[in-house]
Amino acid sequence: MPRDNLRTLSAPEKTIRFLDYLRKNTDENHTVQLKDIKAAFREMGLNPGVNNTLHDFIVGVANACNADVEESVLPQAEWRVMFDDYIEKYGELPMEDETDREWMQIRNLYYVPEFSYKELDALIEAVRFSRTLTTKEAEKIIKTLEEKFASKFYKRGVRGICKVHEKAGYDRDLLRKNLLTIQQAIEDGVQIEYQFNGYSHHKKLEPAGRYKRKASPYYIVADNGKYYLLAANERYKSTMILRIDLMTEVLIPERNETTGKKGIQRIPPGDVAALPQDWDVYYPMKHIHMSYDEPVRIKLRIKSRKEPDNPREHVTPDYTFLYDCFGDNYRYLGVDKEDSDYDIVSVECSPFGMTNFALQYADRLEVLEPAHIREEIQKKVRLLQNKYMV
């Protein structure tokens, strides 16, 4: 486009367009030079200014983006606009020479996004599989994240993944509200009040009792597409696990914004039996299906065929069902000495959760010890036998 037809920009507009260009067209591995900026502006029909003016403008934007309100340069890890001479002058590594450069060339210029590509992947994954969002809402948020926080070099993930149809009585807005109220109570260390419910033969959420309950909340846990609350009540002072989507009328009793009263103080975490004092990332694996009894070490016999000529060589990788439930939180102890087509492993798990897990995968595993879990499994097997073996 001829120079005479280029539109001159005001300083605010020039800054916005410059940063927008850097966000979309650069990253640490894809940098641009001064000539690229000039060409890009001209392609948009805009006048970037002469070299010296554009140079001073870019340095000024870098200073504004990389400094605090007192104009002190931030640590390099917090910078947004990078180029070689700026890094050499203000960065954490010493310059190649001791001369303090007044004039900085614009070489290898790029924008550092607010989120790394790895962090952006994690955010998008969280949005995509959020139970509080519809497919349409999730896709809109993902599109915004990709457009505002990623360059054209970001490898976008799979789009259009269909979310599982939610049950008829599920209320996303109610779940969001519950989560916010409970999170506020956890932060303030106070109790909540709620009505607990279940689904009836009418396929509707209905109260499980005619009274409201109180609980001391500690942790919100997301597991298998559902949100759970680890809490305790005054009567038992032991950990209980509540499904948050089954709770209604959640509020913080005796909270008063005017007087500043936050509510009724919850039970101190140290007084609650079986409650982790610091969050354990393996908690859902030790409490499969969010069973709440105290985990114990359990020895299992796992079916795992071996090569005929080598009893220690596994035929196929057949631990997937165990990994899906326990992740890497199991110990391989070796091949069963009585039958090489079985392995011995141990896991840490709640007895109630393991009882149901063992029945679900009865064709693949056997609980060897402790004895009391075997006894619970035997009781359920006898019950099934009475029902189905006529």
Side-chain angles (χ1 to χ4, degrees):
M1 180 176 291
R3 184 182 181 87
D4 293 342
N5 295 331
L6 297 178
R7 181 165 67 86
T8 300
L9 295 165
S10 65
E13 185 182 358
K14 188 174 182 179
T15 302
I16 292 171
R17 287 183 176 273
F18 170 70
L19 289 175
D20 188 55
Y21 169 80
L22 287 187
R23 286 191 186 98
K24 293 179 179 178
N25 295 277
T26 68
D27 61 23
E28 186 176 5
N29 298 312
H30 302 86
T31 62
V32 294
Q33 315 305 323
L34 194 65
K35 62 181 179 61
D36 300 315
I37 302 295
K38 294 179 69 174
F41 268 61
R42 286 172 176 155
E43 184 69 24
M44 292 184 285
L46 307 174
N47 182 8
V50 297
N51 282 359
N52 287 352
T53 302
L54 183 58
H55 167 276
D56 293 344
F57 165 76
I58 292 173
V59 172
V61 172
N63 287 333
C65 290
N66 302 340
D68 58 24
V69 293
E70 297 178 352
E71 299 185 359
S72 297
V73 177
L74 296 168
Q76 188 172 333
E78 299 178 35
W79 291 1
R80 287 286 166 260
V81 177
M82 298 270 204
F83 57 90
D84 289 354
D85 281 10
Y86 197 94
I87 295 171
E88 288 188 8
K89 182 172 182 178
Y90 297 112
E92 295 170 359
L93 296 177
M95 295 188 298
E96 296 178 358
D97 57 66
E98 298 182 358
T99 305
D100 187 9
R101 303 180 185 179
E102 292 296 331
W103 178 264
M104 293 183 286
Q105 295 185 53
I106 308 298
R107 299 174 300 171
N108 299 321
L109 175 68
Y110 66 97
Y111 187 84
V112 181
E114 287 75 5
F115 302 109
S116 68
Y117 290 162
K118 185 177 180 180
E119 291 169 336
L120 192 57
D121 285 341
L123 283 172
I124 290 173
E125 181 180 357
V127 170
R128 180 172 287 129
F129 293 105
S130 171
R131 198 166 183 255
T132 63
L133 297 170
T134 64
T135 299
K136 186 176 181 180
E137 290 170 335
E139 289 301 324
K140 181 180 179 182
I141 294 172
I142 290 170
K143 183 179 179 181
T144 300
L145 287 171
E146 290 177 341
E147 289 181 350
K148 300 297 183 183
F149 299 103
S151 75
K152 65 183 182 183
F153 304 105
Y154 171 66
K155 294 181 180 179
R156 287 165 170 77
V158 178
R159 300 294 293 268
I161 293 179
C162 297
K163 295 168 72 72
V164 175
H165 173 66
E166 297 293 353
K167 282 65 176 179
Y170 181 72
D171 188 333
R172 289 185 179 83
D173 291 333
L174 175 63
L175 178 57
R176 289 191 190 105
K177 183 178 178 183
N178 287 353
L179 289 169
L180 289 172
T181 302
I182 293 169
Q183 184 60 49
Q184 185 65 62
I186 291 172
E187 290 176 1
D188 292 341
V190 296
Q191 297 181 19
I192 59 168
E193 185 177 274
Y194 64 97
Q195 172 71 56
F196 198 70
N197 307 271
Y199 284 94
S200 71
H201 60 288
H202 296 299
K203 305 176 184 178
K204 294 182 179 180
L205 199 63
E206 297 182 4
R210 299 181 178 179
Y211 59 93
K212 290 186 177 181
R213 314 178 190 198
K214 289 183 180 179
S216 294
Y218 303 99
Y219 302 104
I220 294 172
V221 183
D223 184 63
N224 288 325
K226 293 184 176 66
Y227 290 96
Y228 297 87
L229 173 64
L230 269 63
N233 61 37
E234 291 287 348
R235 182 177 180 181
Y236 296 108
K237 291 186 172 63
S238 60
T239 303
M240 60 181 181
I241 300 177
L242 304 169
R243 263 180 57 181
I244 296 177
D245 62 300
L246 298 180
M247 300 167 70
T248 56
E249 301 178 56
V250 179
L251 55 85
I252 301 175
E254 298 187 23
R255 186 178 183 85
N256 190 315
E257 300 289 351
T258 303
T259 63
K261 184 176 181 181
K262 295 181 178 180
I264 304 169
Q265 186 175 7
R266 71 183 180 186
I267 303 168
D271 295 345
V272 180
L275 179 73
Q277 300 306 297
D278 294 304
W279 180 243
D280 179 3
V281 294
Y282 288 106
Y283 189 93
M285 300 175 190
K286 297 176 183 177
H287 297 79
I288 53 177
H289 307 306
M290 295 309 292
S291 50
Y292 55 82
D293 48 337
E294 186 71 19
V296 297
R297 180 59 60 178
I298 302 171
K299 185 179 287 187
L300 304 175
R301 190 169 179 257
I302 304 293
K303 188 173 183 179
S304 183
R305 290 192 305 115
K306 311 299 189 299
E307 295 288 353
D309 58 345
N310 187 351
R312 293 192 175 278
E313 184 68 29
H314 294 71
V315 175
T316 58
D318 42 17
Y319 274 63
T320 303
F321 80 101
L322 198 67
Y323 190 88
D324 284 346
C325 198
F326 295 98
D328 60 359
N329 192 35
Y330 63 85
R331 298 177 188 171
Y332 172 74
L333 302 179
V335 177
D336 185 0
K337 295 179 180 178
E338 303 296 327
D339 187 340
S340 62
D341 275 347
Y342 288 84
D343 293 339
I344 306 299
V345 304
S346 72
V347 298
E348 189 176 356
C349 180
S350 79
F352 181 83
M354 177 52 68
T355 299
N356 292 294
F357 182 75
L359 289 172
Q360 180 182 1
Y361 292 103
D363 60 328
R364 299 188 185 186
L365 69 83
E366 175 188 358
V367 174
L368 298 178
E369 53 185 60
H372 67 88
I373 297 180
R374 286 182 62 90
E375 292 169 2
E376 286 301 316
I377 295 172
Q378 290 167 6
K379 289 178 184 178
K380 290 203 172 188
V381 169
R382 284 193 289 269
L383 180 62
L384 290 172
Q385 186 177 30
N386 292 337
K387 285 184 176 181
Y388 296 104
M389 299 297 290
V390 180

